[in-house]
Amino acid sequence: MSDDIWDVLGLAPTRDRDQIRRAYARKLRATNPEDNAEGFMRLREAHDEALERIRHDWMWDDEGEDADESGAEAGGAPSLVLDSTSLQTLLRTGRIAQAETFAPQTALPPTALCDAATPEAEELRARFDRLESLLRAAERPPVSALEAAFHAVLNAEALDEIAVAAAVEARIADLLLHGLPRADPLLAPAIDAFRWRRNDLRFEPGPTVEALVARHDFVESRARMLKFDDYTRKVVELLQGPPSAKPPLLWRFDPGFDRAMKDMLGRIGDGDGALAADFDARTLTLWRERYARPRLSAGMVAAIGSAALLGPVFGVFLDKGLPGVIASALAAPTLVLAGLMAYLHGYLRLKTAWEDHRAWRAGILERTGWWPLSLALLLASALLPDTLASAGIVAGLAAPILAWTFITAAPLLPPAPLHHRLLAQVVPFAWALTLPLFDIDVVTQPVIVALAAAAAVDLRGGALSSQVWHTEIGKIGRVVGALAMLAAAIALGVTAWRMAGETPPTWAPLCVAGILALAIAHRLPVAILGEDIAKMRYYGMFALFWIIKGFDALVGSWLVTSSLWMLTGMVAGLILSLAIEARDRTR
């Protein structure tokens, strides 16, 4: 709108919010939205634009605050919220007793207004009683009647007094909170009328108003979900029903319903606050208890069913006849069920016990000891013979390390994108798997199993390990660790150069395992490089790959040239991290 907003409000340009509100209330009494919808919209837009201009004019706001302070010093009425006794005295006599005390907005109890002595106070009391009776009626009133009663209270002449308006605002907030969910249609008008907006820097709500704003956001988001999501409609219908209502059997095994129920319970939270107003309290309690217990989810049941279907197919491929098919059909779902039971009654219980009783007082080794153990297992696996039994032994040793990692290492928030975390695992795996393509038999089965376990440990707890490295280890310890890794990289480079020849030496698997372990370990100090330098390093490694392809023609051993390529990238990263540590003046 243009500058005629002041003409619409019947007010000279002003910086006083209270004058704008009083002018809007006076005009609103003479403007019926049903008879003059266009005039009502122009009045509303003028009111909003006048307040918006004040909110964006910081110099104006400062002057207004100075004016408020000078008015208070001159004896003006303070814009504080009265308690219920002061409000009743004000409505009876038209003035505030000097002995009355002030209370915060949320401290007002839900008591009824007293009989009024002045016509304005009597009018306010009657309109407030009308709104209260509608919210507490046995039958749900029409939304139009609620909105009409609410706007009637806002249009009362008694609200021209600042103290009365502030006190009635607090009483309305308390009434709306106790009138949920019937008061849901009034949340948006109340937020708009009283300027309960989180994006307003001056908005400092108490618990009552904060609960109403949270309820309004929840109702709006739920309405959008109900419009587009069938599962949400089913969940809301179930939670609003009695505890005896049971979901159909198909719902219980539907992963979509399970996801929607968990999401809704997470949005509502614990307790029976404003967000749970239109749900049955007993039904909510039953569903919360159900999801608090270890249980087979719909996805787990689907996994067992899929195993039961795929088991016979696997038995046919084994070509063991009918007994083989039957055995596969029984073994597949049994193994899946056993794994799920171990997850529910083993892993989840241990993780809960760790988080509740140990995590807050555990030391560095207890929280991240799995990381060096996984790398030590990777080195030790190169010493085992290349047999399936050795791979099984490594898998058995890796299982408790993985369990230790997943129990103690909670993902950091916010988590890095999955493709960023997987990128760090791709290079070691890609290099190890390309060696057999060149008929280089140095990557044994135990090394592959140990590499997979180390990569899983790094994927789960690598961010936590980096955080501990840079926050809980002193600068001297970080520099010594980076120097040790740099020395190991140089030593491995010299060792790799000695592997040149048609037949790799017997100790070649140990050298390859050392390079793989260092590829994972060096990411701790190089995490300080930042994303831009890390990208440049990856681009440099890509360019170096084609240069080293020509070097491979001179050496005649892809094992040697690719090992040197891997180690060159690590050395570059470690040198850069040491340079940054040297420039850093902190501990």
Side-chain angles (χ1 to χ4, degrees):
M1 295 183 67
S2 59
D3 289 337
D4 65 346
I5 61 173
W6 307 112
D7 297 333
V8 175
L9 292 171
L11 189 67
T14 181
R15 305 168 181 177
D16 193 335
R17 290 178 174 81
D18 296 315
Q19 287 188 21
I20 295 173
R21 290 183 61 184
R22 288 195 292 269
Y24 172 71
R26 284 194 298 269
K27 287 289 185 178
L28 194 60
R29 285 195 290 270
T31 306
N32 190 338
E34 296 181 357
D35 299 335
N36 188 7
E38 183 179 355
F40 174 77
M41 290 299 298
R42 294 183 69 244
L43 178 62
R44 186 66 199 170
E45 291 174 1
H47 169 265
D48 292 344
E49 185 171 339
L51 295 178
E52 191 70 15
R53 289 184 182 183
I54 296 176
R55 190 173 73 85
H56 285 291
D57 194 342
W58 294 102
M59 182 171 62
W60 199 342
D61 287 343
D62 294 338
E63 295 176 359
E65 291 174 2
D66 296 338
D68 291 342
E69 294 175 359
S70 61
E73 294 174 357
S79 57
L80 295 177
V81 180
L82 300 174
D83 59 16
S84 58
T85 305
S86 300
L87 177 61
Q88 294 172 8
T89 303
L90 178 63
L91 292 179
R92 282 198 307 270
T93 64
R95 63 184 179 85
I96 303 174
Q98 294 297 323
E100 298 296 335
T101 58
F102 293 92
Q105 177 175 340
T106 55
L108 291 169
T111 56
L113 296 176
C114 67
D115 295 334
T118 62
E120 293 82 4
E122 183 179 357
E123 177 192 28
L124 174 60
R125 182 196 62 79
R127 295 184 180 187
F128 195 91
D129 286 347
R130 168 64 177 165
L131 176 61
E132 186 174 10
S133 63
L134 287 175
L135 289 175
R136 297 183 178 180
E139 297 182 359
R140 185 181 292 268
V143 175
S144 57
L146 281 175
E147 293 179 345
F150 176 76
H151 287 292
V153 173
L154 295 184
N155 297 337
E157 293 184 4
L159 266 68
D160 287 347
E161 295 291 335
I162 299 176
V164 176
V168 170
E169 176 183 343
R171 295 292 303 282
I172 287 180
D174 190 85
L175 180 63
L176 293 181
L177 183 63
H178 287 80
L180 296 175
R182 188 169 296 183
D184 282 344
L186 301 181
L187 295 179
I191 290 173
D192 190 46
F194 300 128
R195 304 193 301 275
W196 296 336
R197 301 186 181 97
R198 286 197 175 101
N199 59 354
D200 190 346
L201 298 178
R202 298 168 181 265
F203 180 52
E204 297 180 358
T208 301
V209 175
E210 183 66 34
L212 292 175
V213 175
R215 172 70 185 182
H216 173 259
D217 296 341
F218 172 75
V219 170
E220 279 196 339
S221 63
R222 188 182 64 183
R224 291 192 296 267
M225 295 170 65
L226 288 173
K227 186 176 180 181
F228 300 106
D229 191 356
D230 291 335
Y231 291 116
T232 302
R233 284 196 289 269
K234 296 176 183 178
V235 167
V236 171
E237 176 186 345
L238 193 63
L239 293 179
Q240 290 178 340
S244 57
K246 302 296 182 183
L249 186 62
L250 291 179
W251 291 13
R252 300 184 184 184
F253 297 107
D254 191 340
F257 172 79
D258 193 61
R259 171 194 52 79
M261 179 62 77
K262 289 182 179 179
D263 180 68
M264 185 61 67
L265 293 177
R267 289 171 179 266
I268 296 172
D270 298 330
D272 299 320
L275 302 186
D278 51 350
F279 297 120
D280 188 277
R282 294 173 300 169
T283 304
L284 269 178
T285 301
L286 289 176
W287 280 96
R288 285 168 178 160
E289 291 176 352
R290 178 180 180 185
Y291 279 95
R293 297 190 302 265
R295 51 179 290 276
L296 289 175
S297 64
M300 295 178 180
V301 174
I304 296 173
S306 300
L309 295 176
L310 295 176
V313 177
F314 183 71
V316 171
F317 280 105
L318 290 178
D319 195 18
K320 299 294 183 180
L322 183 59
V325 174
I326 296 176
S328 298
L330 296 176
T334 302
L335 291 174
V336 173
L337 179 60
L340 292 175
M341 289 295 103
Y343 169 78
L344 292 173
H345 298 283
Y347 168 75
L348 289 183
R349 291 182 184 274
L350 288 173
K351 188 170 183 62
T352 302
W354 165 264
E355 292 175 350
D356 293 343
H357 304 295
R358 189 64 189 172
W360 56 275
R361 56 193 177 99
I364 294 179
L365 288 179
E366 196 171 353
R367 287 183 287 125
T368 59
W370 30 262
W371 182 79
L373 276 183
S374 66
L375 300 182
L377 180 63
L378 177 56
L379 291 173
S381 64
L383 302 176
L384 298 177
D386 188 11
T387 61
L388 188 60
S390 299
I393 293 174
V394 173
L397 295 174
I401 298 177
L402 288 170
W404 184 7
T405 304
F406 278 80
I407 288 172
T408 59
L412 299 181
L413 296 176
L418 181 61
H419 64 279
H420 285 177
R421 290 183 288 156
L422 289 177
L423 180 63
Q425 321 296 332
V426 168
V427 176
F429 262 106
W431 177 66
L433 295 178
T434 56
L435 295 179
L437 297 179
F438 291 87
D439 296 328
I440 305 174
D441 191 14
V442 293
V443 183
T444 61
Q445 299 179 58
V447 170
I448 291 295
V449 174
L451 176 61
V457 167
D458 187 61
L459 183 65
R460 173 71 176 188
L464 177 60
S465 300
S466 297
Q467 184 186 63
V468 170
W469 175 274
H470 291 284
T471 59
E472 300 186 33
I473 297 178
K475 183 174 183 178
I476 297 177
R478 295 196 302 269
V479 171
V480 170
L483 288 174
M485 294 182 191
L486 183 60
I490 296 174
L492 285 171
V494 174
T495 305
W497 182 259
R498 296 178 58 192
M499 292 190 299
E502 296 183 359
T503 304
T506 56
W507 45 263
L510 183 60
C511 182
V512 170
I515 296 174
L516 293 173
L518 188 61
I520 296 175
H522 90 289
R523 284 200 288 270
L524 294 187
V526 301
I528 200 175
L529 299 182
E531 186 176 355
D532 294 336
I533 298 180
K535 287 182 178 179
M536 293 177 58
R537 189 166 70 101
Y538 279 118
Y539 294 150
M541 290 289 293
F542 181 75
L544 182 63
F545 175 81
W546 298 105
I547 297 175
I548 210 166
K549 284 287 291 181
F551 184 69
D552 181 37
L554 298 176
V555 177
S557 174
W558 174 249
L559 175 60
V560 174
T561 53
S562 61
S563 299
L564 294 177
W565 172 71
M566 289 279 294
L567 292 168
T568 301
M570 300 179 208
V571 168
L574 290 170
I575 292 175
L576 288 174
S577 67
L578 286 170
I580 293 176
E581 288 283 6
R583 294 181 58 186
D584 188 8
R585 298 301 182 184
T586 61
R587 66 179 185 89

